[in-house]
Amino acid sequence: MTTSQTAISSDGREPALEGFWQAEASDVPGIEKALTTLRKQYASPAAAREGQAGTRNSVANLVIYAGSEDDAARATAAMTELAGRHPSRTILLIADLAPGSPDVNASVSASCRLASGRRICYEEIRLRAAGASGPHLRSIVDPLLISDLPVFLWWTGDPPFRHDAFLALARLSSRVLIDSGSFRTPAATLQRLGRFMEDDAIDVPVGDLNWNRLAPWREVLAQLCDPPAVSELLPHLRRLRIERAVGAEGGVAPVAQSLLLAGWLASRLDWEPGRAAEQTFSGAYRLRLRSGGRDLVVELRGRLAASARPGEVQALALEADEDQHRIALEMSRPGEQEQAATSVSIDGAAPAERSVRLPVLSDAELLGDEIDRLDADRVFEDAAEMAGRLAALLPANADEGLA
Amino acid sequence: MGFASFPYFLFPRSYFLVMTTRTAERRPRQPRANPLREGQQRQRTAPPATMVIFGASGDLTKRKLVPALYNLALEHAIPGEFTVVGVSRSAMSDAQFRDAMREGVDEFSRTGKAKPAVWDGFAQGMYYIPGNTKDPDTFHKLKAELDKLDKQRGASGNRIFYLSTPPGIFGEIIEGLGVSGLNKQDQGFSRIIIEKPFGRDYETARALNEEIAGCFDESQVYRIDHYLGKETVQNLMVLRFANGIFEPVWNRRYIDHVQVTVAESIGIEGRGGYYETSGALRDMLQNHLMQLMTLVAMEPPARIDADGVRDEKVKVLRSIRPLCNGGKVGNVVRGQYGPGWVEGKEAEGYREEQGVSSSSSVETYVAAKLSVDNWRWADVPFYLRTGKRLPRRVSEIAVQFKQAPHLAFASQAVTQFRPNVLALRIQPDEGMSLTIGAKVPGSQMQIRSVNMDFAYGASFLTDPPEAYERLLLDCMLGDQTLFKRRDEVEEGWKMFDCALDAWEHEEEKPNFPNYEAGTWGPRDADRLIERDGRRWRTP
């Protein structure tokens, strides 16, 4: 067992590390024993003198599945940021799901941080597994969960919705978190996600970090639609254009976030998906949907934004008309700036323009939002199912060229 | 039809409220509601409105009100049409007012310096009208300006009047609003927010309320006590009424007594002129501490809504045993600080402070023992204390439970053990702790008290909003739950009236100063609780 004490400076977001302790173990009783030992070590010096163990702060169990070291590193970074203010029992499972002879080993670590003058300690259990089956993984994870606290499964990468490892862990969970923004094959995986949520065999609420990234967009858009002059025309939308960031001219970028945004509008406004999408010369997808007995065109296209995360929505535009009335509404964010310009024009009048804050949320903030809720997010589920149906209309090569 | 000319007034106020889920739950969803609102994280968005701030050049506007409004705009909780009109006597242009307010936001906003583009959008909706509130013409000018802005900005005729002025001119403002017809709700809502103090005794509070009632219906009146907007104060209701384990023991069978402490380490911070006419009872005990006390003591309301909660609070106030018996004041003690040391710095005495009379008998500390005469609380005293220049800044409610009926352990085992206390900290470090007895590890049986802590900061990721943000948004949404109702204010004064009266007319002045700055108050306060066989906690 190794013990180290490190101090790093606080950058304002990440609480300063006060100490870090680590131990190895090979089975569940070993892990539990290692945790008890660590807890005695990280008891604050004052508490230790009085014979008290350190306080473990937890509001939730977080089981993270990472298929690669890169995913694991990203998850660890998010957890470190989250721990200061939303401490959870973390079980990080780095596993190769390919069949083989089972091999599992574990390391346990505890770190204590000072966040706004308060000492917060949290424990992480890191499991490396190969060739383990679903029941095998479940039998390791289950006893390590803190009882009475909700369990969140964060599956990094594209979840294999039918794999027994995924299903076993999902059945342990109060909520499954995914990030459609990092899907390797977004169009295909979104379709599978839609089917998974329709499936009654397993009824666990799903949350998507990428959906939360869209939250500021949805909120501002809803607010722009609050005035009756605008909301009354919402059933009469004729055009929707969504632009997502691409890194280079003519480059490709995942389409998941655009599909979710379109899926949200489609599900809230009762649009019906129509026939297969066309791809324009510039590479944009043009989908024809039906709304209130009339045609509606949805265009998903790329926009050069080198500083933004590829696939992030950068702009959207809506147009509606009915009888003598029409509205044109636009929102756009230049790059990664935390602001968006909005413009609303009613009946051809000069547009009302505003600048609003549109925060770019970190993984930890997105996770924190998800951990705050336990119930199913019906609006998201409707949007994701619709996004899956829209994804099915895209050309078969929609996922090509993505890393 | 443009944004600005859309006839918002054709839609009743309730139309805008349907957009919040809360209201939507109570009534069937209306077909024309915005379908994109469903499932949004922020479910409380205010309708377009204009807020008129009287006393716009004052400190509160700059430090609290405008930063709170700006943060609401930043969080998208108020719409782009939201308009602010400042009124005060100083001559200032719109641009100067905007600049002054921006300085306030840069310095005092919890979200840091104003974000330029967002601020510019927000500030476009800020206007300033210089005017003397004694002059009826000011209100006619104001009305004309508001009508113009409604058209220009689409503020839909909804108005909120914020009285952030010295209380001496509340009356003339209320009258001016009435005479000019700004109190009418024919185009949209008209609401008035009044800052404390709501009077300085029962009579003046009643007179002020009469004045308000002459022009505004009680449903239009929002008496603000920012203490009620604090998260922990609201959490008190959650603690009591959402958790099944506390309410069954929340009564005289299990609770020995309750202590409410609001301690300040600061002095009067140059506000001697004000404080000389006020004192700790009026400034703190009568409002803030009584709010905390009533929330602890009230019966569970049938519904957490404006009248549900306020009815129960008023019932508690009416159950409190009068402090005077046969004209003699009992169960209240007061104090005034002399020089001393606070938080490592030398502090002067109250009588040496600027603007304070050298023979002042104004109290800077007050402690009271209150008895609530009802079935739940018979024989459970509530000890309340508040003071300035105490050793540190802390506000807490401590509910001390009764000792276990029989301690079977050997007497030496329990020397370090105290009865269970549930302490609710309001500031700093919002949270709660429960002391429980635990066995000290070892071959001996020894029991000591350990704390089980719950800290807000460690469990929730989001920063709680400033009290003013919450309360201003509540007012825009028409929710009066966290504002004081007329009878609540009057009952709150009634119980202290005899003490205030007796102190004002006593022949023999108190022997002040009677506590040293940086100590926990006068010896009399200790006697008040010690004669019952109890002690003040050190919070």
Side-chain angles (χ1 to χ4, degrees), chain A residues 182-193:
Chain A
S182 54
F183 286 174
R184 268 89 176 167
T185 56
T189 308
L190 273 179
Q191 291 176 58
R192 287 198 290 271
L193 170 66

Side-chain angles (χ1 to χ4, degrees), chain A residues 85-87 118 218-220 222-223 225-229 232 264 268-269 339 344 346-347 354-355 357 368, chain B residues 1 3 6 8 15 19 32 34-37 40 42 45 74-76 78 80 117-118 429 455 458 461 463:
Chain A
R85 297 163 77 187
H86 223 132
R118 188 170 285 279
R218 289 183 282 120
E219 192 176 285
V220 172
Q223 194 172 59
C225 294
D226 272 341
E232 278 180 352
W264 169 59
R268 293 276 65 85
L269 301 172
Q339 271 168 19
V344 180
I346 300 174
D347 297 335
R354 268 176 82 195
S355 185
R357 193 173 77 111
Chain B
M1 189 172 13
F3 228 121
F6 185 83
Y8 285 93
Y15 178 81
M19 293 160 189
R32 283 196 293 186
N34 178 357
L36 303 185
R37 272 274 163 228
Q40 293 283 355
R42 175 175 286 284
T45 308
L74 195 64
E75 310 261 312
H76 314 143
I78 52 178
V118 177
D429 299 334
L461 185 69
D463 285 332

Side-chain angles (χ1 to χ4, degrees), chain B residues 96-126:
Chain B
Q96 284 169 319
F97 179 57
R98 290 170 188 169
D99 287 347
M101 292 304 117
R102 181 174 183 150
E103 278 171 28
V105 170
D106 283 345
E107 193 173 348
F108 301 112
S109 160
R110 73 179 164 93
T111 54
K113 277 192 186 306
K115 303 205 174 0
V118 177
W119 171 261
D120 291 345
F122 175 70
Q124 263 173 29
M126 289 178 75

Side-chain angles (χ1 to χ4, degrees), chain B residues 53-69:
Chain B
I53 303 174
F54 292 97
S57 55
D59 232 24
L60 184 75
T61 312
K62 188 173 168 178
R63 279 171 180 265
K64 296 285 182 189
L65 302 184
V66 173
L69 291 171

